[in-house]
Each structure stands twice: as C-alpha cells, then as structure tokens.
Amino acid sequence: MKISTRSLSKIYKDATQLSIADLINGVRLTKAAELLIQEDLSVYEVVQKVGITNETYFFSLFKKKYKMTPKEYALQRKANQIN
C-alpha cells in the first residue's frame, strides 16, 4: 500500500474514532469474556491465551469494559446460563 503504519493508524482512527490498540484490546477482551464462560480456565490462563502480558493491565481493561472483575463476570454469566 506504500503507506506508513503511523499514517494508516491515523486514517483508521479518523474513520472509526478508535485507535488500532483499542481495536486489538477490544478483540482480546471479547475473546477473554468468551473463554471465561465457555472453558474452565483460571483468569491467569485466560490472560495468557488472549496475549496480554500484564495481568494488572488486563484487569483494568476488563473492569473498564464490563464494569466488573473477570471472576465476577464468569460467575454471573455461568449463573445466568443455569437459569
């Protein structure tokens, strides 16, 4: 495409109001939420599977998006599936 990554990132952000990093983190958090309710994995294992290296950072991103901790999210979703 003969365009720098910086220029491409700016074009993408102008078009979507979302940075590339925010897009990637959103995909990772969506996958993490799926893993938390579909598989019997610890939060630490989920963090590793979605490719986030800092567990504290993952917790802050997850809580910001879902308004609860990953463990609370998993327990709530699993309880909703039973009902």
Side-chain angles (χ1 to χ4, degrees):
M1 288 176 50
K2 294 189 179 188
I3 188 170
S4 71
T5 54
R6 187 174 188 173
S7 294
L8 183 60
S9 293
K10 183 175 178 356
I11 291 168
Y12 183 81
K13 186 165 185 169
D14 289 345
T16 65
Q17 307 305 313
L18 193 65
S19 72
I20 299 290
D22 290 340
L23 171 69
I24 292 168
N25 284 333
V27 170
R28 286 176 168 162
L29 290 172
T30 300
K31 183 63 178 175
E34 290 173 14
L35 290 171
L36 286 167
I37 58 175
Q38 291 176 356
E39 297 187 27
D40 193 24
L41 300 172
S42 70
V43 174
Y44 179 73
E45 290 170 315
V46 170
V47 171
Q48 288 182 321
K49 282 191 178 273
V50 298
I52 296 178
T53 57
N54 184 326
E55 198 171 340
T56 304
Y57 180 60
F58 171 78
F59 273 86
S60 71
L61 287 175
F62 196 94
K63 197 163 186 177
K64 185 176 180 181
K65 181 173 182 172
Y66 293 104
K67 309 294 187 238
M68 62 184 81
T69 67
K71 188 170 185 172
E72 291 169 340
Y73 180 87
L75 291 172
Q76 184 181 58
R77 295 294 185 231
K78 287 178 183 177
N80 288 344
Q81 286 179 346
I82 294 171
N83 296 332

